[in-house]
Amino acid sequence: MSSTNYNFLQESSAVPDTSNMRFGIVVSEWNNQITDKLLEGAIDTLTQHGVPESNITIGHVPGSFELVFGASQMAKFGYVDAIIAIGCVIRGDTPHFDYICEAVSQGIGQLNATCGKPVIFGLLTVNNMDQAIERTTGPLGNKGSEFAVTAIKMVDYAWKLEK
Ligand code: DLZ
């Protein structure tokens, strides 16, 4: 699945009023040179679209495997409307990569379907560090920004249905 030539932000012209939206961001410390950039991109995009910084709660977890629990606690106790789970898993020489990716994607998917709040899958799953860098500071833009726009759109979606 390639994201080349896909500029998500071009499709976000109708971003809604976000001034009352509250977001939780859970960030993995593993590969933090990447996850810090993704976090920065997400925060920049949220604030550029009108989310007050005081409406953003950030939580750190040790690795991507811990994102599911971190996001679940954020959903329960964080007083937030949506959660963005950010991590970066880089393929190594052992099957560890596959186990973590599988566990996190299943876990976030399940949480997304059951916790009553949108949980955004902000996990980079890449073959090497170059691919990760391309998705934070390279030609593919900063994926953190896409995660943020997705989170805004999903809160808007939920709020429109509640009205
Ligand atoms: C152990 C591990 C490995 C090998 N690789 C990564 C990685 O590329 N990205 C990541 O976010 N976390 C990694 N981890 C740590 C696990 O996610 C987890 O923190 C530990 O297995 C402890 O549960």
Side-chain angles (χ1 to χ4, degrees), residues 67-85:
L67 285 173
V68 178
F69 182 77
S72 130
Q73 295 302 100
M74 186 69 85
K76 262 191 215 158
F77 305 116
Y79 186 40
V80 295
D81 302 302
I83 299 107
I84 305 172

Side-chain angles (χ1 to χ4, degrees), residues 90-118:
I90 300 180
R91 192 184 288 280
D93 295 331
T94 70
H96 203 92
F97 172 90
D98 302 298
Y99 289 111
I100 295 181
C101 294
E102 174 81 11
V104 179
S105 55
Q106 294 280 342
I108 296 290
Q110 200 174 8
L111 197 58
N112 185 46
T114 56
C115 81
K117 295 173 186 181

